[in-house]
Amino acid sequence: MKAKIAVIAGDGIGPEIVAQAVEVLKKVAAEFGHGFTFDERPVGGAAYDATGDCLPAETLDACRRADAVLLGAVGGPKWDSLPAAQRPERRALLTLRRELGLFANLRPARTWPTLRGSSPLKDEIVAEGVDLLVVRELTGGLYFGEHVRAADGQSALDTMPYSVAEIERIARVAFAAARKRRGRVTCVDKANVLETSRLWRETVQRLQGTEASDIALDFMYVDNAAMQLVRSPSHFDVLLAENMFGDILSDEASQITGSIGMLPSASLREDGFGLYEPIHGSAPDIAGRGVANPLATILSAALLLRHSLGLEAESAAIERATGEVLASGELTPDLGGSATTSQVGAAVAKKVYGG
Ligand code: NAD
């Protein structure tokens, strides 16, 4: 397969970790016989310094022309004093999501056997292993509804609109993801209180009947889901949620694994195009020292292969290689080791081999 990947490394540790993910993707291409091209463009504070804009038009165009986008991280103290609308996090990240139509956010959270001790949960709770995926609706609901403050400042109103079409398209993403996993979707809502949640339930249930009868579907109130995530996280496969519930639950789920340097994410459009990035930021405190953990970015590259390019075996090869490197003890300092960013990246690339 030929694919063009836009690479926007960004600020802080972004260039260091993205370079490792690109090396791993090059190894995948060599092992499996693909032709990947990498279109590297500036974004974030680095782009602001060079062009006066955190998201230059050429960068956005390059992302639009690509089959998928790999992002490092943006932001840092140097650009914190810019006006809000020009700051890297807002101008670059929110504009990219909006302009590229990325309505579905996927955040897998899993425990790796050798890192189980870094989970804040008791050993007996994570003993079975956790491997779940939060599928969050990213462009609707409470965050995108109307936000109003009364003229006297004494009351305020936020609305949570959802249409059947918006619910169907995110439910389809969850069903498709579950099909590549253990075939179970838990739809999280508050249908005992909210009308939008009742619309979610009806719509997701109906869609499962017509398009996804191979998927086991259940429903759970969000308060119960928050509790079950720390009580028996192994129970979950795919968690499907509207924007705010998904925001909160994906942060909670990410903590189960214990290390911010291990967590990838994907933001997808309906046609499978997506932007892939680690969930952590630009870590200015360790930037330039060569000690950042590149695994969240490497695992984001694995998601890119799976969701945007449909290369499941290749994606699995990266995840397996990551597990082997973790087991070998070649770890960056955040995981208790003394390996450098590039040593860990090279170790993963070395262990990627084709079928
Ligand atoms: P952060 O995620 O950058 O760092 C939090 C802590 O985790 C730091 O101690 C850092 O050293 C550590 N850390 C993060 N990633 C790591 C990795 N791969 N390996 C080892 N340690 C790692 O969060 P922050 O400090 O709150 O934010 C720093 C900057 O990043 C800010 O400008 C913030 O706005 C920005 N940010 C960007 C994104 C993004 O680009 N998507 C997300 C969050 C924060």
Side-chain angles (χ1 to χ4, degrees):
M1 165 187 278
K2 290 203 182 322
K4 184 187 271 192
I5 299 168
V7 177
I8 49 178
D11 306 316
I13 61 171
E16 302 166 46
I17 52 181
V18 164
Q20 299 311 314
V22 168
E23 287 309 310
V24 171
L25 285 170
K26 284 181 180 166
K27 180 73 186 304
V28 167
E31 283 287 318
F32 289 83
H34 300 302
F36 298 154
T37 52
F38 300 95
D39 189 2
E40 297 188 19
R41 302 284 171 159
V43 74
Y48 181 85
D49 288 348
T51 68
D53 186 350
C54 289
L55 184 63
E58 306 81 64
T59 298
L60 184 56
D61 283 348
C63 293
R64 284 205 177 98
R65 284 194 307 270
D67 297 300
V69 182
L70 182 65
L71 167 66
V74 298
K78 186 175 175 197
W79 305 283
D80 279 352
S81 53
L82 286 177
Q86 286 175 34
R87 284 185 54 179
E89 298 84 341
R90 179 137 158 216
R91 165 75 186 135
L93 296 181
L94 295 189
T95 312
L96 276 167
R97 281 173 200 159
R98 191 184 62 238
E99 291 297 315
L100 299 175
L102 307 171
F103 71 93
N105 185 235
L106 273 57
R107 274 218 211 163
R110 60 176 288 187
T111 47
W112 298 87
T114 46
L115 297 182
R116 209 166 273 162
S118 43
S119 171
L121 298 183
K122 281 186 186 152
D123 210 30
E124 61 259 33
I125 293 176
V126 288
E128 273 181 61
V130 179
D131 182 2
L132 63 88
L133 173 71
V134 179
V135 175
R136 165 191 170 194
E137 204 289 329
L138 202 57
T139 55
L142 201 55
Y143 295 173
F144 283 78
E146 202 185 349
H147 309 291
V148 188
R149 178 73 69 94
D152 65 2
Q154 296 306 298
S155 63
L157 171 77
D158 298 287
T159 57
M160 188 183 200
Y162 266 112
S163 68
V164 167
E166 283 173 305
I167 301 166
E168 282 181 349
R169 68 178 185 174
I170 189 73
R172 284 194 179 100
V173 172
F175 290 143
R179 224 164 254 136
K180 292 180 181 153
R181 297 172 49 92
R182 302 192 299 282
R184 287 198 47 206
V185 171
T186 301
C187 181
V188 175
D189 60 36
K190 194 67 182 166
N192 49 346
V193 181
L194 300 176
E195 194 55 36
T196 42
S197 285
R198 285 192 274 275
L199 185 65
W200 268 74
R201 269 200 190 203
E202 285 165 31
T203 307
V204 174
Q205 185 82 69
R206 182 174 35 72
L207 199 72
Q208 187 258 354
T210 53
E211 296 184 13
S213 51
D214 55 322
I215 302 297
L217 172 68
D218 65 344
F219 294 89
M220 192 177 278
Y221 295 141
V222 63
D223 41 353
N224 187 24
M227 199 164 67
Q228 297 306 328
L229 265 175
V230 289
R231 241 183 109 213
S232 56
S234 312
H235 164 92
F236 293 108
D237 182 13
V238 174
L239 274 148
L240 166 64
E242 67 86 37
N243 203 340
M244 183 179 69
F245 297 161
D247 185 12
I248 297 167
L249 291 181
S250 59
D251 267 20
E252 186 188 354
S254 69
Q255 287 310 301
I256 293 169
T257 65
S259 174
I260 196 168
M262 294 298 304
L263 293 158
S265 79
S267 299
L268 304 179
R269 198 165 67 193
E270 226 156 348
D271 59 3
F273 174 89
L275 179 145
Y276 300 82
E277 59 182 316
I279 73 156
H280 59 72
S282 59
D285 53 333
I286 57 168
R289 289 170 36 202
V291 294
N293 184 347
L295 293 177
T297 317
I298 289 171
L299 291 168
S300 298
L303 293 183
L304 182 157
L305 297 176
R306 174 171 297 129
H307 294 287
S308 283
L309 305 186
L311 299 175
E312 180 58 37
E314 291 81 342
S315 179
I318 294 181
E319 290 168 349
R320 184 190 36 71
T322 300
E324 287 177 18
V325 170
L326 289 171
S328 78
E330 191 159 11
L331 308 172
T332 42
D334 57 305
L335 299 178
S338 57
T340 64
T341 308
S342 50
Q343 281 169 342
V344 171
V348 175
K350 195 171 163 205
K351 288 180 185 294
V352 168
Y353 20 80

